[in-house]
Amino acid sequence: MEKSYVVAVVGATGAVGTKMIEMLEQTKLPIKQIKLLASKRSAGKELKFKGQTLVIEELVPESFENVDIALFSAGGGISKLFAPEAVKRGAVVIDNTSHFRMAAGVPLVVPEVNREALKEHKGIIANPNCSTIQMMVALEPIRQAVGLDRIIVSTYQAVSGAGISAVEELKKQAVDYINGTPANELTAEIMPCGGDKKHYPIAFNALPQIDVFSDDDYTYEEWKMVNETKKIMGDDTLKVSATCVRIPVLSGHSESVYIEVEKDTSVAAIREMMAAAQGVVLQDDPSQQLYPQALTSIDKKETFVGRIRKDIDVANGFHMWIVSDNLLKGAAWNSVQIAETLHEMDLVRV
Ligand code: NAP
Ligand code: 12T
């Protein structure tokens, strides 16, 4: 008989967790039971799974008895405490937080890029940062074909990446503005970063801070893109630098990406690579004003690539625009895709 799994969603009520439930409704992964876990505040609330009503339970260590696959998306602190509890009870953890990503022995996986790394798992697998994932899906085929020497990326990130409260804050600020509050007097309590000292309006604004600052004046979101890229591509010598910016978009992260490749290539060749790449949709026809947009990426699992063009001065330099739904390929879909891949590779211990 084919294996069938008990799957737990930790953080089931969140921006990512609710999308995980949607992805699990669509997955080909054989599921025999779903467990929805969140904080005490949500215990007893109900959510639907394939038309069936499921009751949310409070997360405790014993929640993981009999669980085969646990998808975590309730913050790094929760993963730190509870992922080992899940592993101890025989579950394989797919963690969406940044807590374990750079740890040795923890595969950091984008299935289109490095599924083989899953073979090394010891119970915990990390889902990369949303901005990193979509960039990897687009750039790995180029790296395979012509080598990659350098990446410089600037992101234009949606508020849903920062959770439900950030989405609510943007909507409220937009309503307050329409009702007469000047844009520079809007109340801000969350953005740019819930855990930092100062807050600024995100509506009608652009904030060059995602996550908190490190001592070197880069933010942690920028460092995640740098370090995770090197780990996923398995190349410590790759030059990577990032600037991460929050914009008042609900969902869909956009990225302006500049690359320098090692072998001669052309825009036409890169377009062909993108058209053939797994998980990529090429949207690149300036004559028709066709290019990827945050709005048209929503609820799609693919990564959209366009605006591919040669740098004006650097011979092997190219620019492009990469967009994906941050809650799907950036989080929930990549996690469920990792679960599907583990099943295909027979790496879930049941
Ligand atoms: P969110 O909308 O704020 O949701 C947070 C979730 O965590 C809710 O389900 C919440 O449950 C749960 N939670 C909070 N405290 C808890 C506790 N003490 N015990 C159990 N559950 C608890 O946030 P989100 O955007 O979904 O993000 C959740 C986490 O996912 C983030 O902290 C981040 O680490 C990660 N993430 C990763 C990516 C990525 O790049 N791959 C993208 C976005 C987020 P209640 O409703 O009961 O409070
Ligand atoms: N601060 O999981 O605020 O590394 O958009 C993802 C998204 C951290 C992460 C965000 C963040 C992560 C955000």
Side-chain angles (χ1 to χ4, degrees):
M1 215 179 75
E2 207 201 8
K3 283 180 184 173
S4 171
Y5 305 110
V6 178
V7 179
V9 179
V10 181
T13 53
V16 176
T18 49
K19 290 290 171 183
M20 281 175 165
I21 296 169
E22 262 181 59
M23 294 299 103
L24 288 168
E25 288 181 319
Q26 297 171 20
T27 184
K28 59 191 178 197
L29 187 75
I31 296 173
K32 71 177 169 216
Q33 193 198 331
I34 296 273
K35 275 186 105 161
L36 302 182
L37 305 168
S39 78
K40 207 181 202 156
R41 299 178 287 277
S42 304
K45 286 189 193 158
E46 293 175 349
L47 283 175
K48 291 274 182 205
F49 182 78
K50 291 188 179 175
Q52 196 191 331
T53 301
L54 296 180
V55 181
I56 296 167
E57 296 169 43
E58 181 187 354
L59 171 68
V60 290
E62 295 72 30
S63 303
F64 299 103
E65 299 289 348
N66 300 316
V67 168
D68 302 306
I69 300 172
L71 306 178
F72 274 71
S73 188
I78 297 292
S79 292
K80 180 184 179 184
L81 280 176
F82 288 90
E85 297 291 344
V87 173
K88 203 157 76 184
R89 290 171 175 79
V92 49
V93 167
I94 302 168
D95 182 31
N96 237 286
T97 79
S98 58
H99 187 73
F100 295 103
R101 285 182 195 149
M102 296 311 298
V106 174
L108 182 65
V109 176
V110 180
E112 290 87 343
V113 176
N114 64 338
R115 75 203 304 263
E116 292 302 308
L118 290 171
K119 288 180 182 162
E120 308 304 319
H121 91 78
K122 298 172 183 63
I124 300 178
I125 293 143
N127 188 87
N129 175 264
C130 38
S131 301
T132 311
I133 294 175
Q134 66 185 62
M135 189 167 81
M136 295 302 92
V137 173
L139 296 190
E140 177 65 9
I142 301 174
R143 192 178 79 91
Q144 291 287 335
V146 292
L148 207 50
D149 182 52
R150 169 166 223 184
I151 305 170
I152 300 175
V153 53
S154 296
T155 69
Y156 302 66
Q157 294 183 226
V159 292
S160 59
I164 286 174
S165 59
V167 172
E168 294 308 320
E169 180 167 272
L170 171 57
K171 288 180 179 170
K172 183 171 187 312
Q173 289 172 353
V175 168
D176 289 350
Y177 176 78
I178 300 300
N179 289 331
T181 308
N184 58 358
E185 290 175 22
L186 292 166
T187 307
E189 287 167 352
I190 294 167
M191 287 309 193
C193 176
D196 215 338
K197 297 175 287 295
K198 290 189 182 174
H199 301 288
Y200 308 115
I202 182 61
F204 313 102
N205 207 358
L207 295 170
Q209 181 191 349
I210 298 184
D211 210 336
V212 292
F213 280 94
S214 140
D215 291 339
D216 56 18
D217 297 346
Y218 280 80
T219 63
Y220 277 97
E221 185 80 350
E222 290 158 355
W223 272 115
K224 283 179 242 168
M225 290 196 79
V226 171
N227 294 330
E228 294 178 21
T229 293
K230 293 179 189 199
K231 179 166 175 175
I232 295 162
M233 289 187 157
D235 180 0
D236 272 345
T237 67
L238 183 61
K239 302 181 190 99
V240 190
S241 192
T243 301
C244 293
V245 181
R246 187 84 63 187
I247 59 166
V249 154
L250 292 172
S251 274
H253 284 357
S254 304
E255 300 177 340
S256 170
V257 178
Y258 169 73
I259 56 171
E260 289 175 10
V261 300
E262 287 169 344
K263 295 182 196 153
D264 284 350
T265 188
S266 63
V267 167
I270 293 176
R271 283 192 182 136
E272 274 177 35
M273 292 171 208
M274 294 298 96
Q278 229 191 315
V280 174
V281 175
L282 177 69
Q283 289 182 325
D284 196 10
D285 188 351
S287 76
Q288 300 301 313
Q289 289 174 275
L290 177 68
Y291 37 73
Q293 297 174 34
L295 264 186
T296 51
S297 76
I298 291 178
D299 284 337
K300 305 279 188 341
K301 297 188 178 86
E302 294 87 358
T303 296
F304 300 87
V305 182
R307 296 295 323 274
I308 302 169
R309 61 211 192 276
K310 262 183 84 62
D311 186 69
I312 293 164
D313 303 298
V314 176
N316 286 338
F318 293 87
H319 298 267
M320 63 191 75
W321 184 247
I322 303 175
V323 178
S324 193
D325 185 331
N326 54 296
L327 295 179
L328 293 191
K329 186 58 184 168
W333 166 236
N334 199 65
S335 290
V336 171
Q337 199 186 10
I338 289 172
E340 288 181 357
T341 312
L342 285 170
H343 170 63
E344 274 167 34
M345 295 171 77
D346 201 18
L347 292 169
V348 187
R349 301 179 242 114
V350 181

